[in-house]
Amino acid sequence: MHFAQYYLDCLSQASYLIGDKTTGRAVLVDPRRDIDDYLHDAEAAGLRIELVIETHIHADFLSGHLELARATGATIAFGEAAETGFPIRRLRDGERLSLGADDGQGVTLTVLATPGHTLESICLVLREHPDDDVPFGVLTGDTLFVGDVGRPDLLSAAGHTPQDMAARLHRSLHTKLLTLPDATRVFPAHGAGSACGRSLSSETSSTIGDQRRFNYALQPMPVDDFIRLVTAGQPATPGYFAHDAALNRDGHPLLEPGPPPALTLDEALAAREQGAVLLDCRPLAAYTRAHLTGSLHTSLDTRFAEYAGSVVTPGTPIVLLTDPGTEQEARLRLARIGYDHVLGHLPDPAAVLDRSPALSSRSRRIRYEELGLREPQLAGAAGADGARTGGTEPADPIPTDSLPTDFLPTDSPPTDSVPADIQLIDVRNPAEYEAGALPGARNLPLAGLSHRIAELDPSRPVVLYCRSGNRSVIAAALLEARGFTDVCDVIGGYDAVGTGAQ
């Protein structure tokens, strides 16, 4: 058997190439849109990709089933309940897919219908030989993760309540997956940082036995308790999820390779006048030091596509502001979530800003101490990182030159809340906020902020914070692009408060 996992850190997404070396027949499960690695590895291993299987209709990335079907002639397969806008093979519960010879021997996959995350969700039990008592492993899609289970609330808009889907998920877990031997390896579709669950581990594989013992959602409990547990505290849903789910269901244009064209400053500004957004992809420190006024921001060294999909409306034309040599990476990572309308890129933004200081702005950032607040009860908040809450972000080194000169520390004694005219906004996910927050802060997660800006008063100051200072800068850029003029964020975020308290 040939078995390979492909893990994409920036989207916390896993895909799998499985083949029978004797016959050369192979399947690819949950592929991303850029397929060159799969094709290269299959050719090197002497494999023919005959079937592309989707464990469900994905919402967090644009899948590569159409690209692979064009490149290889492979058939696209989904669970039997899937409704799509293109021809598919429907896989029935209990169906066995043999990659071996006609004698029935060889690598075999058995389909398990496991509704709960979505209606059409399936898992695939993989055996190197069809009569193996202990399977090699099970590909669990978004039904079971290492340390978590799939969120059941993504179909609310389609009339299926999270409680109903959670009950289905419970049945799928206990009547299908947990009946497998403990030694069966678990290969999920996502890891830590994914918004498809709230407590995903950074480990990319496990075993059924370990998950039975250590996964919080698989511990013995009444069904009603399970439903309450898995429907609470889920990460905010990024704005692009519905867009990607529709494209994965109905069909999408095929990925076009190649770098985006270079634009002049005048061309970039003219594109913005026509409705495009300027997306600054440089590292956080470079952006906060100087950026084109009104540009959005999300750095390539973090969860670039997910954050871009949270602040840029699907279908909006995009002009990239990238460090030299990174424009193709930025375009590809946007394409992985279906953001194909990239008009071009502005080469070397730092040099452009040096030549055009009148078009440049500097981010306003403050230290926590400058808010004049008492230190909150942390309740373990310093540990509320991405592995537990779905809110990963790299620690932000504090740039000593980024403090605004007009925001000076106060000599007043600490208080329990900020002044009434200041809007203190926590842009972390709900579970992070519930684990501990700054006094007087409201929770408006970054993923949904663009749809809730009307809840804020642009005439009053806004102070933003997150865990470490990354998401808050992204949120500040969004507010400034929407016309807010008095916005700053807390350097180091809530982690800085935890460090100070210790």
Side-chain angles (χ1 to χ4, degrees):
M1 181 175 66
H2 178 96
F3 179 86
Q5 180 189 68
Y6 299 81
Y7 193 79
L8 193 62
D9 285 310
C10 61
L11 286 174
S12 306
Q13 185 263 332
S15 50
Y16 299 89
L17 176 63
I18 302 160
D20 188 305
K21 295 179 182 179
T22 303
T23 63
R25 301 173 63 197
V27 301
L28 195 52
V29 180
D30 291 338
R32 62 179 187 258
R33 202 175 174 201
D34 46 310
I35 61 173
D36 287 350
D37 286 348
Y38 308 134
L39 298 179
H40 176 271
D41 290 355
E43 181 179 11
L47 300 174
R48 303 180 308 278
I49 300 172
E50 297 181 353
L51 192 63
V52 180
I53 302 176
E54 299 287 3
T55 57
H56 61 290
I57 296 173
H58 300 281
D60 58 308
F61 72 102
L62 200 56
S63 188
H65 46 260
L66 296 178
E67 283 80 3
L68 276 163
R70 179 182 68 172
T72 67
T75 299
I76 300 170
F78 281 83
E80 193 170 20
E83 297 294 338
T84 65
F86 46 87
I88 61 170
R89 175 177 171 180
R90 298 182 183 277
L91 301 178
R92 302 182 309 278
D93 184 38
E95 183 175 352
R96 301 182 73 175
L97 308 174
S98 175
L99 302 180
D102 292 339
D103 59 5
Q105 297 302 305
V107 177
T108 303
L109 295 90
T110 303
V111 179
L112 302 180
T114 52
H117 176 63
T118 65
L119 293 173
E120 76 287 344
S121 289
I122 59 173
C123 296
L124 300 167
V125 180
L126 174 61
R127 288 179 168 86
E128 190 165 7
H129 309 97
D131 55 353
D132 288 344
D133 291 333
V134 178
F136 172 84
V138 56
L139 277 60
T140 55
D142 283 20
T143 298
L144 173 64
F145 301 123
V146 179
D148 204 355
V149 295
R151 63 187 298 172
D153 61 335
L154 294 183
L155 289 184
S156 297
H160 299 279
T161 68
Q163 291 73 25
D164 170 60
M165 296 302 292
R168 295 172 187 250
L169 179 62
H170 185 272
R171 287 194 295 272
S172 295
L173 292 166
H174 288 270
T175 67
K176 299 289 181 66
L177 291 179
L178 291 181
T179 64
L180 296 171
D182 279 357
T184 307
R185 281 168 279 196
V186 171
F187 298 103
H190 296 293
S194 171
C196 293
R198 68 179 188 184
S199 302
L200 283 71
S201 169
S202 58
E203 298 296 324
T204 58
S205 66
S206 182
T207 65
I208 288 292
D210 280 351
Q211 292 311 294
R212 193 191 311 275
R213 287 189 292 273
F214 303 122
N215 190 315
Y216 77 96
L218 301 184
Q219 302 312 300
M221 69 184 81
V223 175
D224 288 346
D225 288 352
F226 173 87
I227 291 172
R228 282 191 293 270
L229 185 64
V230 301
T231 54
Q234 291 290 350
T237 305
Y240 73 93
F241 269 34
H243 171 72
D244 278 22
L247 292 177
N248 283 326
R249 180 187 65 238
D250 301 332
H252 58 262
L254 299 179
L255 177 65
E256 295 294 336
L263 302 178
T264 66
L265 176 60
D266 287 343
E267 289 172 331
L269 296 177
R272 180 166 64 179
E273 289 296 318
Q274 297 298 315
V277 298
L278 306 183
L279 183 61
D280 195 318
C281 314
R282 298 174 300 150
L284 182 146
Y287 172 84
T288 57
R289 190 159 45 244
H291 56 266
L292 280 174
T293 301
S295 59
L296 300 177
H297 169 69
T298 174
S299 174
L300 284 170
D301 60 9
T302 183
R303 299 185 68 80
F304 171 73
E306 178 183 323
Y307 292 153
S310 296
V311 298
V312 179
T313 303
T316 303
I318 297 171
V319 175
L320 301 171
L321 281 59
T322 59
D323 284 333
T326 62
E327 60 274 2
Q328 171 61 1
E329 179 188 356
R331 181 182 187 179
L332 174 60
R333 288 171 68 175
L334 288 174
R336 286 173 177 158
I337 63 165
Y339 279 43
D340 290 348
H341 201 179
V342 175
L343 301 179
H345 74 104
L346 183 66
D348 201 356
V352 172
L353 291 165
D354 286 343
R355 295 192 300 267
S356 308
L359 300 176
S360 174
S361 294
R362 180 190 183 107
S363 297
R364 298 184 69 240
R365 313 198 73 199
I366 64 171
R367 299 179 190 273
Y368 167 73
E369 293 83 357
E370 295 175 89
L371 286 172
L373 294 173
R374 301 184 196 277
E375 288 180 342
Q377 296 297 316
L378 296 180
D385 58 16
R388 284 203 297 114
T389 63
T392 57
E393 55 184 24
D396 171 32
I398 297 176
T400 57
D401 63 344
S402 67
L403 288 174
T405 58
D406 59 340
F407 205 109
L408 300 177
T410 177
D411 293 328
S412 302
T415 64
D416 291 324
S417 63
V418 295
D421 64 323
I422 293 179
Q423 302 170 95
L424 180 60
I425 305 301
D426 184 327
V427 299
R428 298 175 300 163
N429 280 315
E432 296 174 276
Y433 176 77
E434 291 164 7
L438 296 185
R442 293 175 56 197
N443 185 215
L444 296 179
L446 174 64
L449 181 60
S450 63
H451 301 294
R452 299 181 64 183
I453 286 180
E455 299 178 27
L456 300 176
D457 183 351
S459 68
R460 295 165 51 201
V462 180
V463 177
L464 303 152
Y465 75 93
C466 57
R467 179 174 69 86
S468 67
N470 179 45
R471 285 172 284 178
S472 58
V473 170
I474 298 170
L478 174 64
L479 294 185
E480 290 169 355
R482 297 286 185 91
F484 285 69
T485 58
D486 195 351
V487 179
C488 67
D489 84 298
V490 178
I491 293 175
Y494 202 65
D495 276 0
V497 183
T499 300
Q502 294 169 359

